[in-house]
Amino acid sequence: MKKVCDNWQAAFPAGKVSPEFWAAFEENAKNAGAEIFKVKTAAEAKDIVANLAKFTNAKKVVAVDSALQASANINEELKELGITVYNDATDIAEHAESADIGISTVEFAIGESGSLCMDGYAFESRLVTMLPPIHIAFVNSNAVVAGINEAFEIISKVYDNGYVSFITGPSRTADIERVLTIGVHGPSRLVIIAVDEAINGGVN
Amino acid sequence: MESANRDIKREINEKLHDQVLRGALGRFAEAYPTARAKAYENVEDVEALREQFRQLKIDTVNNIEAVADEFEASVTKRGGKVFRAKDGDAVKQYLIDLCKKANVKRIVKSKSMASEEIHLNHALEEAGLHVKETDLGEWIISLAGHKPSHMVMPAIHLNKEQIAEYFSKELQQEIPTDIPFMVQAARKALRTEFLQADMGISGANFGIAENGAIGLVTNEGNARLVTTLPRVHVVIIGYEKLIPKIQDAAPILRMLPRNATGQRMTSYMTMTTGQTPVMVKQDGKWVEQPKELHVILIDNGRLKAAKDPKFKEIYNCVRCASCLNVCPVYTIVGGHVYGHIYAGGIGAILTAFLHSMGDFEKINELCIGCRKCVSICPGKMNIPGLIEELRAQSVKENGLPFGVKAVFENVLANRKVFHTLLRLAAIGQKPFQSGKVIRHLPLFLAGLAKDRSLPAVADVPFRDRVHKINRKISNPKKRVAFFSGCNIDFIFPETGESVYKVLHDLNMEVVFPEDQSCCGKPVLGMGDRETAKRIAKKNIEAFEQTNADIYLAACPTCTETWHETYVELLHDEPEWKVRVEKIAHKFREFSQFVSEEYAKAGRLNKVAGGTKVTYHDSCHMKRGLNIYEEPRQLLEAAKGYDFVEMKDCDKCCGMAGAFGVKYAELSMPILKQKIQNIKDSGADVIAVGCPACMMQIQGGLDKQLPNVKIKHVAEILAENI
């Protein structure tokens, strides 16, 4: 899958990406309506995904693969539950609209705002975060920057062409009588699964 | 395109009686300041952030052509096409041609104020294209056939019952007034639109010259779909949204969501540049292809503004609409009264540049100059200052209305005539007077002052009392020349007497130059710079003869006029510039000056007394002179008083010069809120430092809260001498 940058971690400025910003991230992301699970290993992450799929009675999942996901064997676990998992670009294009859950991995998290920074160069990597009613986002819990300034320090190093975005909580509106309502055009649930263990050259 | 024959007064009255609008706006105005403050709690230095952004925008506008060239080159290099449109017609023609060429039938749009500005949708529909707004609020108003009433919350003027009716009609099924259900119905209807669209049209919150990326912030997620799903993406972006570097987006993103909605970040922030991949179904098979990208850089008056030394400041606007959220007038009448697309004070300015001066003239008086917006604007725009400047330009080109012109040039510019008329007023008002207030102020204010009490003109003006109260001070510490201003001279002479008493008590000699007149601010407020200059020069002549150590006023507006306005007015007359600066440097506001002297004398110790007193910050005092601690220190140290704060102590009382008289119907609800806050504070006395606020608030107390007394800070100090 083509990305804006194949190695974001190489652009992380020394000393500015650290688990010390996790608490701020967690607080702000929760305030924005995100659901957060912090786990030590990819194996634990797998259980959370499986439980969520069971509880929501999911039948169809679209997922863009990443090292983190692959190491947790998530797709296999879901298939064992009788869920159809699509992870090929054309399949995602065909099925994202009718899928129950979309799964992706983001590059890093931002403490100041509770945001996730996502590399969305590939069309399918965007669809899985946009169209299904639930978006599960994996992030390495050590890949957190303090603020938006630091986030842009990283982005400015890698961003030449394509699509980069922040996701902060679920889709929301207050356009009718200023009443906060969740899930307009995007997912109504953002489930963040933060994994402590570094996978495939992750930050420690 | 000027909207002829608008009856602003009638429109305002309709809005004042629109309970839906008043309810929604009132609740929002109530909640907004707290939400914003909370969002900024984790930003260490908000002022530094605003200053950093302001500087960035100033540097950018000064090089706008170079930045735009780089932006264009960056987009082009990555496969996008850039079209520089001089106006709305050019945008429409380009898009209609493009739709033909690219075989586009269906279009989805995410919010773009620039496209509203040029009424794009209408033109596209006329050309036979299927166009859908996808922002929920924009979709609602497009169904209703309304204009947006707020830049961030375009449908804030409608309630759920009204919206359910529009939905039912559009979706041809009964939609209940349950908001989550309505939102889901909209999601379903619009999802089909996204999936079928050939073209997505978006605006941009910023455009980066370095790599041609545009940035979009949304909460609903519609901009992500508009920029992702259709095979063609068109960006409509104004020159003012350009920034040089990728990292320059950081200050915008740190402030825009916090200021707009009190969020630390919107749900989605999207940046896209170049021909991103898109998958389309061809003959039943998904095929990946590079997305066709067109970026329309729209001028429509923006480049002219960029070259104007004052109005280039409109480039500092990030369209967060926070200026509306704190505007005392907007929060009462909503956006539609402003007529064009952009509402509020910022809307008045943008309307002048992007629409027509004629439309500006109809709405410019709705800015009361309280500067609440200046104190929170991410780009630190001086919105009231720019409006005053536009008024001045308009008066220079078109002149003043005949009656006003006659009064300004023949009355206000001639002290003797002005003062004679005020003396006559003191006699003439008698039949209308009850106690200290009158129902109608006679003479030239008649007809404008319906339905409200105004303070009576004093029987004996302050200037005629000076000789009785003045004392010879042996070995005076300082010689002070007192500028009373019209209000103290003719409405509240007792306040002037208190000022004298306090200064005498400080062992200071006080002089009153007889030839002083109105400071000229009301004239300037109407845009008449020439008359204001004549008044300024007369006052300067009167004061430079006094040989005083200190010049002093007990009115923040007069003080500010001397400090800044005179200097600015006379900056291109070298001789006068020197003369006014000499005085301006030594011109002091009463409460600040006295608090310093009291501090030196050890007279600022807090005391507790029986009478509860609260303080109203005048707009010009707090946001003009940055004086708000000093009067509180004086009140806390005043014997017999117990100081308490009230809610929204620094919100405008609604007087704002001539506004309170001319737009009484708007001024009254603002005043009513102020009186309620005074009542809720439990204070027996409301202290003020500004005679104009005193006039306004006294009128409100008289009707709603007669047991509470209003006193100038000087009077409270004088009581303790």
Side-chain angles (χ1 to χ4, degrees):
Chain A
M1 189 175 70
K2 194 164 181 226
K3 291 177 73 177
V4 166
C5 172
D6 286 325
N7 189 0
W8 280 74
Q9 289 162 22
F12 289 179
K16 290 188 180 175
V17 181
S18 154
E20 70 178 288
F21 308 119
W22 170 262
F25 166 75
E26 188 177 28
E27 188 194 334
N28 285 311
K30 277 188 176 161
N31 284 340
E35 300 159 60
I36 302 184
F37 297 91
K38 189 163 178 289
V39 295
K40 289 202 170 59
T41 63
E44 291 172 68
K46 181 175 68 178
D47 295 341
I48 292 168
V49 177
N51 276 330
L52 186 77
K54 270 190 266 180
F55 279 128
T56 55
N57 201 20
K59 300 274 180 283
K60 202 192 258 193
V61 169
V62 283
V64 278
D65 286 330
S66 69
L68 212 154
Q69 253 164 281
S71 97
N73 278 328
I74 284 165
N75 295 350
E76 286 66 25
E77 176 81 12
L78 290 172
K79 281 172 192 162
E80 271 175 36
L81 290 169
I83 295 168
T84 319
V85 181
Y86 297 100
N87 46 9
D88 169 80
T90 42
D91 286 341
I92 291 173
E94 178 71 27
H95 294 285
E97 161 59 13
S98 54
D100 304 298
I101 297 175
I103 303 178
S104 71
T105 302
V106 300
E107 304 307 326
F108 62 89
I110 305 169
E112 177 184 344
S113 58
S115 309
L116 301 171
C117 180
M118 163 195 160
D119 182 328
Y121 192 96
F123 183 69
E124 66 274 19
S125 74
R126 280 179 263 160
L127 293 191
V128 301
T129 73
M130 289 176 187
L131 294 176
I134 301 173
H135 173 209
I136 297 176
F138 286 103
V139 65
N140 185 291
S141 69
N142 301 300
V144 194
V145 293
I148 293 160
N149 281 335
E150 291 76 12
F152 270 84
E153 208 179 315
I154 298 170
I155 293 168
S156 64
K157 279 191 230 163
V158 303
Y159 188 29
D160 177 66
N161 206 351
Y163 187 104
V164 172
S165 77
F166 292 169
I167 298 175
T168 315
S171 157
R172 63 181 60 217
T173 186
D175 274 350
I176 303 177
E177 293 194 352
R178 285 193 57 250
V179 174
L180 178 65
T181 313
I182 298 299
V184 202
H185 297 304
S188 52
R189 291 180 70 181
L190 171 67
V191 181
I192 300 170
I193 302 180
V195 183
D196 294 344
E197 77 175 329
I199 292 152
N200 198 16
V203 181
N204 261 317
Chain B
M1 198 176 12
E2 192 178 312
S3 353
N5 306 320
R6 286 193 59 200
D7 183 349
I8 289 275
K9 284 232 166 194
R10 184 183 55 76
E11 288 178 36
I12 288 171
N13 258 312
E14 279 169 14
K15 296 298 172 193
L16 284 172
H17 293 99
D18 182 340
Q19 292 309 318
V20 173
L21 179 75
R22 293 290 305 275
L25 285 175
R27 285 194 302 275
F28 179 63
E30 181 84 19
Y32 174 76
T34 321
R36 178 184 175 273
K38 210 170 154 34
Y40 274 106
E41 264 171 15
N42 67 345
V43 175
E44 212 166 89
D45 191 344
V46 183
E47 284 316 301
L49 181 58
R50 293 172 71 209
E51 189 52 41
Q52 176 203 353
F53 175 64
R54 181 183 172 79
Q55 211 48 57
L56 160 73
K57 294 302 282 191
I58 291 171
D59 294 344
T60 307
V61 72
N62 287 340
N63 290 298
I64 192 64
E65 290 293 356
V67 175
D69 286 347
E70 189 191 344
F71 177 72
E72 177 171 348
S74 295
V75 174
T76 311
K77 188 180 141 196
R78 289 165 182 79
K81 287 200 176 66
V82 175
F83 173 63
R84 300 218 190 183
K86 77 172 195 317
D87 57 19
D89 287 342
V91 176
K92 292 169 194 167
Q93 198 52 56
Y94 183 84
L95 272 170
I96 290 168
D97 292 347
L98 173 63
C99 288
K100 266 188 211 140
K101 212 162 54 189
N103 194 25
V104 168
K105 302 270 184 286
R106 303 179 72 94
I107 301 173
V108 281
K109 279 183 71 202
S110 64
K111 182 151 70 188
S112 148
M113 293 302 290
S115 77
E116 300 258 10
E117 175 189 318
I118 58 170
H119 308 288
L120 177 65
N121 292 9
H122 184 67
L124 295 177
E125 278 163 1
E126 278 203 331
L129 293 153
H130 175 91
V131 188
K132 286 288 166 193
E133 289 290 347
T134 60
D135 171 84
L136 182 60
E138 293 283 333
W139 189 56
I140 292 168
I141 61 165
S142 75
L143 298 181
H146 291 177
K147 289 175 183 174
S149 58
H150 187 282
M151 282 188 258
V152 177
M153 301 169 296
I156 193 172
H157 59 286
L158 296 169
N159 65 16
K160 59 177 187 289
E161 286 77 18
Q162 295 167 318
I163 295 170
E165 261 180 54
Y166 294 125
F167 278 23
S168 303
K169 207 170 142 203
E170 170 76 8
L171 305 174
Q172 296 184 345
Q173 52 170 304
E174 197 60 36
I175 302 291
T177 58
D178 174 76
I179 295 176
F181 184 88
M182 291 159 80
V183 170
Q184 282 314 301
R187 175 186 170 107
K188 255 174 84 181
L190 291 169
R191 183 57 73 88
T192 315
E193 296 290 342
F194 284 121
L195 293 167
Q196 293 180 358
D198 308 302
M199 174 190 279
I201 300 180
S202 75
N205 292 98
F206 53 86
I208 304 170
E210 186 180 359
N211 72 341
I214 59 115
L216 292 159
V217 295
T218 72
N219 274 316
E220 297 179 3
N222 58 320
R224 300 202 301 165
L225 294 166
V226 162
T227 57
T228 293
L229 293 174
R231 62 188 157 82
V232 184
H233 177 201
V234 177
V235 182
I236 301 178
I237 179 173
Y239 281 84
E240 77 281 14
K241 300 286 178 60
L242 297 180
I243 48 175
K245 298 281 170 207
I246 293 169
Q247 259 184 283
D248 297 334
I252 297 176
L253 291 169
R254 297 188 79 200
M255 292 194 286
L256 175 55
R258 284 180 167 98
N259 256 54
T261 51
Q263 290 173 283
R264 289 189 174 155
M265 186 58 71
T266 47
S267 297
Y268 305 107
M269 189 289 292
T270 294
M271 293 187 289
T272 180
T273 179
Q275 295 188 278
T276 54
V278 60
M279 292 178 83
V280 289
K281 225 174 187 173
Q282 282 172 5
D283 309 321
K285 276 176 77 182
W286 288 97
V287 188
E288 187 176 294
Q289 63 187 48
K291 190 191 278 278
E292 188 173 335
L293 172 68
H294 298 260
V295 179
I296 302 178
L297 250 179
I298 179 167
D299 177 356
N300 211 28
R302 289 167 171 83
L303 288 175
K304 183 182 156 212
K307 290 189 183 73
D308 186 296
K310 288 215 166 80
F311 290 101
K312 66 183 181 188
E313 206 178 346
I314 66 172
Y315 277 66
N316 294 16
C317 174
V318 294
R319 308 286 192 272
C320 68
S322 59
C323 50
L324 309 184
N325 303 345
V326 298
C327 173
V329 177
Y330 175 86
T331 50
I332 286 175
V333 298
H336 287 153
V337 164
Y338 296 87
H340 193 46
I341 295 301
Y342 300 103
I346 180 68
I349 299 166
L350 294 175
T351 298
F353 272 89
L354 311 176
H355 205 58
S356 85
M357 199 63 189
D359 276 309
F360 165 78
E361 277 155 21
K362 293 197 180 70
I363 55 176
N364 80 75
E365 283 170 343
L366 296 182
C367 171
I368 60 180
C370 77
R371 301 179 208 177
K372 196 92 180 167
C373 53
V374 184
S375 67
I376 62 154
C377 172
K380 296 171 85 170
M381 276 186 76
N382 182 5
I383 295 169
L386 291 179
I387 288 179
E388 209 172 282
E389 185 66 29
L390 275 171
R391 271 179 211 158
Q393 287 190 5
S394 161
V395 168
K396 207 170 160 188
E397 281 161 30
N398 311 319
L400 284 166
F402 178 73
V404 178
K405 184 179 152 88
V407 169
F408 282 2
E409 289 180 358
N410 301 322
V411 179
L412 284 182
N414 186 329
R415 183 190 70 77
K416 281 189 183 146
V417 175
F418 178 44
H419 288 167
T420 306
L421 284 175
L422 282 171
R423 283 170 201 277
L424 280 172
I427 305 164
Q429 73 195 357
K430 288 285 185 221
F432 310 100
Q433 191 176 351
S434 66
K436 282 202 77 180
V437 294
I438 53 171
R439 297 250 158 257
H440 300 267
L441 196 71
L443 293 168
F444 57 89
L445 290 179
L448 297 173
K450 278 178 259 164
D451 309 326
R452 56 172 298 174
S453 305
L454 284 171
V457 176
D459 287 340
V460 184
F462 181 68
R463 55 180 56 245
D464 293 352
R465 303 183 185 204
V466 170
H467 67 279
K468 281 190 200 139
I469 57 166
N470 210 0
R471 290 209 330 247
K472 260 252 157 326
I473 306 287
S474 47
N475 296 324
K477 230 164 100 187
K478 279 184 180 112
R479 183 176 160 87
V480 181
F482 180 51
F483 183 82
S484 69
C486 310
N487 282 328
I488 288 181
D489 202 350
F490 286 92
I491 312 271
F492 302 115
E494 298 81 8
T495 302
E497 292 181 10
S498 297
V499 169
Y500 265 60
K501 198 170 167 189
V502 172
L503 294 174
H504 284 154
D505 178 57
L506 284 165
N507 204 32
M508 294 185 187
E509 181 187 5
V510 193
V511 291
F512 185 89
E514 286 275 334
D515 284 340
Q516 63 178 286
S517 186
C518 171
C519 68
K521 192 72 183 178
V523 175
L524 209 57
M526 292 285 287
D528 185 357
R529 293 175 77 95
E530 287 315 306
T531 305
K533 273 189 199 173
R534 283 163 61 198
I535 293 173
K537 288 176 182 172
K538 293 221 165 94
N539 280 329
I540 293 163
E541 279 169 350
F543 271 73
E544 60 192 3
Q545 289 165 17
T546 58
N547 195 27
D549 306 309
I550 295 288
Y551 306 92
L552 180 132
C555 166
T557 308
C558 298
T559 308
E560 200 187 23
T561 304
W562 274 95
H563 270 175
E564 288 175 20
T565 317
Y566 284 179
V567 178
E568 206 258 331
L569 267 178
L570 301 169
H571 77 279
D572 52 1
E573 297 184 43
E575 183 216 323
W576 282 102
K577 187 171 174 278
V578 174
R579 287 168 74 176
V580 68
E581 276 176 350
K582 258 189 203 157
I583 301 175
H585 285 152
K586 291 196 279 184
F587 204 102
R588 304 298 310 273
E589 188 281 323
F590 173 82
S591 66
Q592 191 180 51
F593 176 70
V594 173
S595 78
E596 282 169 22
E597 294 299 319
Y598 274 28
K600 281 185 223 159
R603 290 169 68 173
L604 278 187
N605 303 317
K606 283 189 189 179
V607 291
T611 307
K612 268 193 180 177
V613 60
T614 190
Y615 178 75
H616 162 73
D617 290 279
S618 117
C619 299
H620 286 180
M621 187 79 93
K622 182 165 184 197
R623 290 178 286 275
L625 301 174
N626 201 27
I627 296 173
Y628 52 94
E629 283 171 351
E630 296 88 339
R632 286 177 170 78
Q633 287 163 357
L634 291 170
L635 292 172
E636 282 171 344
K639 285 194 197 74
Y641 287 96
D642 181 22
F643 179 72
V644 291
E645 287 287 1
M646 67 168 158
K647 192 182 160 202
D648 288 339
C649 53
D650 67 348
K651 195 166 168 185
C652 181
C653 65
M655 184 61 203
F659 173 86
V661 181
K662 195 165 173 193
Y663 287 97
E665 61 273 59
L666 273 177
S667 169
M668 284 301 118
I670 300 174
L671 174 62
K672 216 170 153 190
Q673 191 56 55
K674 180 60 69 180
I675 301 295
Q676 188 60 45
N677 290 336
I678 295 170
K679 191 177 173 190
D680 293 346
S681 77
D684 309 297
V685 172
I686 163 81
V688 292
C690 168
C693 300
M694 197 154 143
M695 180 147 96
Q696 168 86 341
I697 294 171
Q698 189 182 74
L701 291 175
D702 173 53
K703 283 186 171 165
Q704 299 170 52
L705 207 56
N707 294 332
V708 173
K709 300 267 164 302
I710 186 157
K711 292 179 182 179
H712 193 286
V713 173
E715 287 170 60
I716 290 173
L717 299 182
E719 286 169 10
N720 278 313
I721 291 166

